[in-house]
Amino acid sequence: IHEGQSFDESVWQTHAFCLISPDSLREQRVGAVLDHLAVAGFKPVGWREVRVTAQQIDAIAEIQNVGAGSTFRYRALDALFSLGPSIALRLRDEVSRSAAERYAVLHEIKGGTPPRTRPGSIRHEVGSVNAILSLLHLSDSPANAARESAAILGPEPLAAFHDGATLDGYLSVLARTQPKESRDHVAVLGALRGRIVSALWTELGD
């Protein structure tokens, strides 16, 4: 994204940009995320597998006007997005709503990050772990959807999307490429501590 670059916001007046992050794919929770979006009236009509880079994360941070005090999160996000692919989605609103109402609904259905998740939201019901492992990102306005989709997919993002009808097949194949991650936070933390202790075992005293 270059300073002064213009973006076509027209399609994002009736659609929304969503980025499903690698934790959703590793835990095989994409279907549950899509189910919640469907209940709220949003259907994926375009998708694209993407490998999100640190430069793209920084571009999203700039678009979101993230202050200096919060930039530490974006280096943690480097580690998250290095886990594997993400899925960029173009969501069509199947309900007759204004753009302002549409993005307000998306904000509510996404929910905050733990410990501020709201019952009924995706992050609460599907199982967001923390502010980094938070399942998905949803743009908060047509203008930001246009800029963020360009940051992730290039200068012509709409041309980069595959037909939404092919998404289920892709997810089915992807699920077979790796075992489902089903451990909770305590189990993952215990495994990490175990690896640290075993690596240092001979150096440890009583």
Side-chain angles (χ1 to χ4, degrees):
I1 295 179
H2 304 288
E3 186 176 353
Q5 182 177 347
S6 61
F7 301 93
D8 183 3
E9 301 175 19
S10 58
V11 70
W12 304 112
Q13 297 293 333
T14 54
H15 293 68
F17 179 70
C18 175
L19 186 66
I20 305 289
S21 52
D23 51 321
S24 287
L25 277 69
R26 291 289 290 268
E27 296 172 352
Q28 298 185 20
R29 298 186 181 187
V30 181
V33 171
L34 296 178
D35 287 345
H36 278 77
L37 289 168
V39 169
F42 296 95
K43 177 181 180 179
V45 293
W47 70 277
R48 182 67 181 257
E49 177 189 304
V50 291
R51 296 276 179 166
V52 178
T53 67
Q55 290 77 17
Q56 290 170 319
I57 292 170
D58 288 342
I60 299 295
E62 182 178 348
I63 293 166
Q64 293 289 328
N65 293 317
V66 174
S70 297
T71 53
F72 73 93
R73 292 184 62 241
Y74 287 84
R75 300 290 64 85
L77 286 170
D78 290 349
L80 167 63
F81 285 102
S82 71
L83 290 174
S86 303
I87 302 176
L89 297 175
R90 180 162 64 91
L91 302 172
R92 183 174 65 208
D93 189 359
E94 304 284 89
V95 180
S96 179
R97 288 179 277 220
S98 67
E101 183 182 5
R102 177 176 309 108
Y103 282 90
V105 168
L106 286 168
H107 178 75
E108 287 297 312
I109 193 64
K110 176 181 65 175
T113 56
R116 298 185 301 278
T117 54
R118 179 184 57 79
S121 68
I122 290 172
R123 285 174 172 165
H124 185 277
E125 301 301 327
V126 179
S128 173
V129 174
N130 54 37
I132 303 303
L133 301 171
S134 58
L135 302 174
L136 78 164
H137 168 74
L138 283 162
S139 297
D140 55 14
S141 69
N144 280 354
R147 298 184 68 199
E148 290 172 2
S149 61
I152 298 298
L153 298 171
E156 297 185 8
L158 296 180
F161 285 109
H162 304 306
D163 188 334
T166 65
L167 177 59
D168 286 346
Y170 163 79
L171 293 175
S172 178
V173 170
L174 186 66
R176 289 164 171 76
T177 65
Q178 59 191 17
K180 180 179 180 180
E181 173 58 85
S182 59
R183 296 173 297 172
D184 62 14
H185 177 69
V186 173
V188 172
L189 184 61
L192 174 62
R193 287 173 172 170
R195 289 197 298 273
I196 293 171
V197 170
S198 63
L200 300 176
W201 187 257
T202 58
E203 307 298 325
L204 299 176
D206 291 340

